[in-house]
Amino acid sequence: MSVHPSEDNSSKVKRVTTHQLQAMKVRGEKIAMLTAYDFSMARILDQAGIDVILVGDSASNVMAGHETTLPITLDQMIYHASSVVRAIQRAFVIVDIPFGSYQGNSSEALKSSIRIMKESGAHGVKVEGGEEIQQSVERIVKAGVPVMGHLGLTPQSIYQFGTYTVRAKEKSEADKLIRDAKILEECGCFGVVLEKVPAALAQEVSSVLSIPTIGIGAGNGTDGQVLVVHDMLGITQDFQPRFLRRYAELGSTMDAAVKNFIMDVKNKQFPNADESY
Ligand code: KIV
């Protein structure tokens, strides 16, 4: 008999599932989501009680130092995702399918998601776009893979838009976003990220959809919030958009710690007798 992860009483911690995320929306309980790309960070987030971990293709920026999310490969995403999955007991883990691994080819989309699920052990995938990727979403969902959509500012299309400014301020773009959100829900997506869109629009989309919306720079009317963990911890210091709240200043803390270490080594203060064998 197969046992669903959420029904496995042998493990003390119950895993978050798409059904629970849906139930949270119905109850009005907000969903907390953060990115992670490695084992150590994922363990901290999971133990703190985060609901969802996104192995975002923002790894391309944050971990690899690229200017955009475009260069990261499927193999690299699987490497990051499997490191995260090894750390978690409770959180639902979603992985971005990277640029070039799903757009315009639903067979490629299906193959990429199956590789992610099989090789990393993650619980779902995320894709950017609406109507244009409808076929891909349908095929992935039919294969039994939970899919999260992503609308508004979609960083994989940055060269089409040209800027990282707020999206869907114009009525025609807002109407398309609402249409796309409904299409994603009809295709079977279990949730949608809304990035950098007006708060009123995000609220409207959240009330129209029965699946949860997760906002980033989309106001307080979405069903949950996501931030890039290095941004909210103050590790990335040069990125300060209006929507970002920094919950710690780890960049400065780490800078001071490293400077203290250098000083102690230079002054022969480290290690001391207690730190030696
Ligand atoms: O890649 C990422 O980190 C994301 C979030 C910003 C939603 O897609």
Side-chain angles (χ1 to χ4, degrees):
M1 190 185 76
S2 68
V3 179
H4 189 273
S6 65
E7 296 166 353
D8 180 359
N9 294 325
S10 63
S11 70
K12 284 183 212 104
V13 184
K14 288 232 190 296
R15 282 198 192 288
V16 176
T17 63
T18 53
H19 291 104
Q20 283 171 14
L21 298 174
Q22 179 64 52
M24 286 167 82
K25 170 163 181 139
V26 172
R27 289 200 294 275
E29 179 185 340
K30 299 275 186 179
I31 298 164
M33 171 161 141
L34 284 171
T35 64
Y37 321 101
D38 68 281
F39 179 90
S40 306
M41 184 71 84
R43 176 147 284 185
I44 291 169
L45 304 190
D46 190 59
Q47 289 181 346
I50 200 77
D51 299 311
V52 183
I53 291 181
L54 171 66
V55 184
D57 57 2
S58 49
S60 180
N61 313 109
V62 175
M63 302 303 285
H66 292 297
E67 206 175 302
T68 72
T69 59
L70 275 66
I72 199 159
T73 66
L74 185 57
D75 283 337
Q76 288 165 341
M77 288 303 295
I78 290 170
Y79 166 78
H80 286 297
S82 44
S83 308
V84 166
V85 168
R86 280 193 287 275
I88 61 104
Q89 288 195 294
R90 176 182 176 273
F92 189 80
V93 178
I94 303 168
V95 183
D96 265 329
I97 312 186
F99 177 69
S101 306
Y102 65 98
Q103 291 96 339
N105 184 337
S106 63
S107 306
E108 180 83 8
L110 180 60
K111 248 199 266 174
S112 302
S113 356
I114 287 177
R115 275 202 63 201
I116 288 172
M117 301 298 281
K118 256 181 172 335
E119 296 176 37
S120 75
H123 313 132
V125 298
K126 177 164 84 58
V127 286
E128 295 182 6
E131 192 179 6
E132 319 76 37
I133 57 158
Q134 181 171 355
Q135 270 193 337
S136 295
V137 174
E138 281 167 352
R139 280 190 80 169
I140 303 171
V141 169
K142 272 198 193 127
V145 176
V147 180
M148 174 168 262
H150 183 154
L151 297 171
L153 196 162
T154 47
Q156 291 181 7
S157 327
I158 190 59
Y159 290 118
Q160 196 169 50
F161 293 109
T163 70
Y164 285 96
T165 53
V166 179
R167 296 288 192 268
K169 278 162 88 176
E170 303 296 326
K171 185 170 173 354
S172 58
E173 209 191 331
D175 288 346
K176 174 168 164 39
L177 190 144
I178 295 171
R179 250 190 343 266
D180 282 341
K182 286 181 184 163
I183 287 172
L184 291 173
E185 175 167 280
E186 280 158 20
C187 289
C189 281
F190 72 88
V192 183
V193 166
L194 299 174
E195 180 164 356
K196 231 171 168 188
V197 296
L201 174 63
Q203 177 137 31
E204 185 182 346
V205 173
S206 306
S207 66
V208 165
L209 297 189
S210 58
I211 55 173
T213 58
I214 310 288
I216 173 164
N220 205 8
T222 52
D223 302 304
Q225 297 291 331
V226 58
L227 286 175
V228 169
V229 74
H230 290 69
D231 296 341
M232 59 85 77
L233 292 178
I235 298 172
T236 46
Q237 293 182 309
D238 44 359
F239 182 65
Q240 298 193 355
R242 170 173 166 167
F243 68 76
L244 176 62
R245 186 180 296 179
R246 293 226 304 229
Y247 285 84
E249 295 297 341
L250 293 197
S252 323
T253 306
M254 290 162 80
D255 177 66
V258 172
K259 284 180 174 147
N260 282 337
F261 171 74
I262 295 168
M263 200 167 60
D264 284 352
V265 170
K266 303 278 180 199
N267 296 335
K268 304 178 184 150
Q269 298 297 307
F270 177 81
N272 61 25
D274 290 343
E275 289 156 342
S276 305
Y277 297 97

